[in-house]
Amino acid sequence: PLPPRGAPPAAWQSQFRGVRLVAAVPYTMRYLSTLGDVTPRAFCDILLEGLAPDGGLYMPLRYPRVDAATLERWRSLAYADLAFEILSLFIDDIPAADLHAICRRVYSKQVFGTDAITPLKPLQGGVSLVALSNGPTLAFKDMAMQLLGALFEYELGRRSESLNILGATSGDTGSAAEYAMRGKRGIRVFMLSPHGRMSPFQQAQMFSLQDANIHNLAVEGVFDDCQDIVKAVGNDLAFKRKHRIGTVNSINWARLVAQVVYYFAAYLQAKAEVVDFAVPSGNFGNICAGHVARMMGLPIGRLVCATNENDVLDEFFRTGSYRPRSSAQTHETSSPSMDISKASNFERFVFDLLNRDGARLRQLFTQPSFALSAAEHARIAEFGFVSGRSTHADRIATIRDTWQRSKTVIDTHTADGLKVAREHRRDGVPMLVLETALPAKFAAAIVEALGHEPQRPPGFEGIEALPKRFSVLPADVNAVKRYIESHVSD
C-alpha cells in the first residue's frame, strides 16, 4: 500500500528506494464506503446511488490537497469558477467544459440574487456571518441543492434514465430539494418530513407546491424517524434498484462536496492566514463539509459545532460518548431544523477519526450508543473540533443582542451558531458563522425577541395561506414503500 497523501517525504522515499520513476499517472478520484466496501466507484455512480450497497456513506479514497499558491490563485475567481476548480478535484467523469457550464448556470446572480453568492456580513468583535440564504428557498440548503438538481438532470439525460428521489427533511432540505427538482426531466421527489414539527413558513414552502413530480409525505414522528426510513429503503437493494431510488439528503456525497466550496469562498474573503468557523449543526453535513475543506489544506483553526437542546453532538465532542436519543426524547425547539438526535454525516467524521477503519466503525455504529477510547477521544483535537449548546433563551437573547449591536436580524439556527461562536472566539482569528436561513422562516421567535415580524422577501407574502398538497403516513417503512410503488408511474 502507498503512504497516504500528505505523508512526510521520508515515507515516500522509503517506499520507493531504488525505484526509478518512469511516467506519472493522472490522479483519478474514486470513492469507497465508510463501512468497509472498498470497491472503487466513480462520482456519477455514487451521485445516483446515494448510500453504498453495504449501507455505508461514500467518501473519497483520498482527499485532494490544496496549497497556498493555489489558494492565492483562486482569490480573484468568481464563485462559479471557484466551484468548478474545487469540484473538478472530486469529479473526473464529467467533461470539464460541461462541469464548468453547470457551475456557471447554477451559481449565478439570477439564482442567488447577488454576484458575490455568499458575501460576508461583518458583525462586532471579529465575528462575521457567511450569507448562505440568498437562494430561492432562503436557506443554506440551496447552495448544494441547486447544483445537485443540475447534476442529476445532466447525468440522467446522459444515461437516458429516470430517478425517484427519496429524502427526509427537518425543515429546509425539503423545500430546497423540491425547488431544485421541480420540472426536472426524469425526476420524481418523495420527501418525508415530521408531521407538525416544521415552522408554518417551512411547511408552506413545501406543501404549497403543486408540481406533479413532487410528493410530500408528512410522517407521524420526528426527523430521525424520517431519516431511518430513507436509510431502510436505501438498504433494501432489490427495492432500491427496481424503483431507481436516489437521495438528496447529505448522505449523498454530491450534496456535501458542494458545501465545501463556500468554506473556501468565505476564507478567501476573510483575508486572514487562519480562520475559525462556527456551524449550527443538525445532521452534521454542513460542518462535515468544513472538515473536508480542512483535510484538503484550507487553513481552518477550529470547527465550532453548535447544537440546540438536542445536544448529542456537543456531548460527544466534550466527552467522547455518543448517546443518540429516542424519538420521545428528541426535543421540539425553536430551531427545528436542528431537532435531530442521529446525525447521518457524523459517521463520515468518525471514519476519519478512526483512521478509516471500516470494521471498527461498524462495530461502534451497530450499538445503540458507544464511547471512544481515551486515545480516540484525544484525537478529536487534531481535527480542530470544539462544541457548545444553545437553548431557547439563548436564541432569543442572541437575536435581540445582534439586532441591538449590529442592526442585523438573524434566524434561530444562526443564533445558536453565533452564541456558541462567541464562547470560542480567539483574539486575532476571524470567526465566521455560517448562516442557516433568513429570519422570515421563523417569525414567531423573531416576534418574541424583537417585538415585530421579520421582513419577507418579495414573493413570499401570504405563503402560509396557499393551498397545500401532502399526505400523512405512519412512521413505517412499508407504508412509504407502498406509497412510492403506487406513484412511480404517475
Side-chain angles (χ1 to χ4, degrees):
L2 298 179
R5 284 195 165 202
W12 289 96
Q13 290 167 2
S14 63
Q15 189 79 14
F16 291 104
R17 187 168 289 117
V19 175
R20 183 168 61 92
L21 183 64
V22 176
V25 178
Y27 176 67
T28 301
M29 177 57 73
R30 291 295 178 264
Y31 296 86
L32 76 166
S33 168
T34 52
L35 292 183
D37 184 349
V38 296
T39 305
R41 290 176 171 85
F43 175 84
C44 287
D45 292 328
I46 70 167
L47 166 71
L48 300 180
E49 190 172 0
L51 281 175
D54 65 355
L57 304 184
Y58 281 117
M59 291 282 278
L61 192 61
R62 299 179 182 88
Y63 292 113
R65 296 286 297 177
V66 175
D67 58 21
T70 301
L71 285 174
E72 190 57 36
R73 179 172 62 82
W74 287 351
R75 192 175 298 278
S76 61
L77 295 180
Y79 190 94
D81 297 329
L82 177 65
F84 166 72
E85 293 286 345
I86 294 169
L87 294 173
S88 62
L89 298 176
F90 293 93
I91 304 172
D92 58 11
D93 52 346
I94 295 178
D98 292 353
L99 181 60
H100 206 166
I102 290 171
C103 290
R104 287 182 167 173
R105 185 168 68 252
V106 168
Y107 297 116
S108 65
K109 186 176 182 179
Q110 289 72 28
V111 176
F112 288 94
T114 169
D115 289 322
I117 310 297
T118 60
L120 295 188
K121 297 179 180 179
L123 300 178
Q124 291 186 340
V127 178
S128 296
L129 297 180
V130 184
L132 299 176
S133 302
N134 296 316
T137 70
L138 317 181
F140 82 95
K141 302 293 179 75
D142 290 321
M143 295 301 305
M145 208 65 76
Q146 287 291 313
L147 177 71
L148 192 60
L151 289 173
F152 275 151
E153 187 173 45
Y154 172 87
E155 186 59 19
L156 290 171
R158 195 161 64 160
R159 298 182 183 206
S160 299
E161 293 178 356
S162 62
L163 190 68
N164 294 303
I165 292 170
L166 178 63
T169 183
S170 56
D172 293 323
T173 292
S175 56
E178 291 175 357
Y179 277 73
M181 307 298 166
R182 61 189 307 198
K184 288 285 192 296
R185 294 187 302 274
I187 297 177
R188 296 184 193 87
V189 178
F190 298 88
M191 187 59 62
L192 311 184
S193 61
H195 186 37
R197 295 178 76 105
M198 297 187 294
S199 76
F201 191 106
Q202 289 175 313
Q203 289 182 15
Q205 273 193 309
M206 291 175 56
F207 296 170
S208 64
L209 291 179
Q210 304 297 318
D211 304 69
N213 72 322
I214 303 297
H215 299 269
N216 280 300
L217 308 180
V219 173
E220 295 173 321
V222 299
F223 170 77
D224 290 326
D225 297 315
C226 301
Q227 183 164 256
D228 287 345
I229 291 171
V230 171
K231 288 184 175 180
V233 173
N235 285 326
D236 184 341
L237 295 183
F239 185 91
K240 177 180 175 181
R241 288 168 179 166
K242 177 181 178 181
H243 297 295
R244 297 284 304 159
I245 303 294
T247 181
V248 292
N249 280 82
S250 51
I251 58 178
N252 190 316
W253 172 258
R255 263 277 308 277
L256 194 142
V257 76
Q259 293 173 291
V260 171
V261 178
Y262 51 69
Y263 280 89
F264 279 84
Y267 170 82
L268 294 171
Q269 290 179 74
K271 298 179 180 178
E273 289 188 12
V274 176
V275 302
D276 294 339
F277 283 93
V279 188
S281 295
N283 213 22
F284 206 73
N286 207 9
I287 197 166
C288 191
H291 164 67
V292 172
R294 193 174 186 272
M295 295 295 284
M296 292 172 66
L298 189 66
I300 298 174
R302 287 180 175 175
L303 287 164
V304 182
C305 176
T307 74
N308 62 12
E309 292 90 336
N310 297 294
D311 57 356
V312 173
L313 294 174
D314 176 45
E315 180 182 38
F316 170 81
F317 285 114
R318 287 186 295 101
T319 70
S321 177
Y322 179 63
R323 296 188 307 116
R325 315 298 194 252
S326 67
S327 298
Q329 294 170 320
T330 301
H331 300 287
E332 185 174 0
T333 76
S334 53
S335 50
S337 297
M338 295 160 61
D339 292 349
I340 297 171
S341 171
K342 293 177 284 186
S344 278
N345 284 283
F346 179 60
E347 183 178 310
R348 283 187 163 114
F349 167 67
V350 178
F351 181 61
D352 281 342
L353 181 69
L354 299 177
N355 292 314
R356 301 195 150 203
D357 184 341
R360 171 70 171 147
L361 187 79
R362 183 183 291 275
Q363 176 192 34
L364 293 182
F365 277 88
T366 52
Q367 304 175 44
S369 62
F370 63 79
L372 297 178
S373 69
E376 289 167 343
H377 184 227
R379 287 201 70 216
I380 289 175
E382 299 174 20
F383 293 90
F385 276 92
V386 294
S387 67
R389 76 190 291 269
S390 173
T391 66
H392 177 74
D394 294 326
R395 286 188 280 283
I396 298 303
T398 302
I399 291 168
R400 186 178 295 130
D401 177 73
T402 304
W403 170 251
Q404 291 171 347
R405 291 207 283 172
S406 304
K407 292 297 181 257
T408 299
V409 183
I410 57 174
D411 82 287
T412 49
H413 309 76
T414 306
D416 287 332
L418 183 55
K419 182 263 183 183
V420 178
R422 288 171 172 166
E423 295 172 349
H424 291 282
R425 173 83 177 86
R426 299 189 293 164
D427 290 340
V429 180
M431 175 66 79
L432 308 183
V433 180
L434 298 194
E435 178 187 69
T436 299
L438 292 192
K441 304 188 80 165
F442 308 96
I446 305 304
V447 171
E448 181 179 349
L450 304 180
H452 62 78
E453 292 272 347
Q455 183 178 0
R456 290 197 172 192
F460 290 93
E461 302 87 353
I463 189 174
E464 292 90 344
L466 293 174
K468 297 178 177 60
R469 175 174 166 263
F470 66 100
S471 299
V472 179
L473 294 181
D476 176 68
V477 64
N478 290 318
V480 171
K481 285 181 177 178
R482 287 193 295 270
Y483 185 96
I484 292 172
E485 286 180 316
S486 64
H487 290 83
V488 290
S489 60
D490 287 358

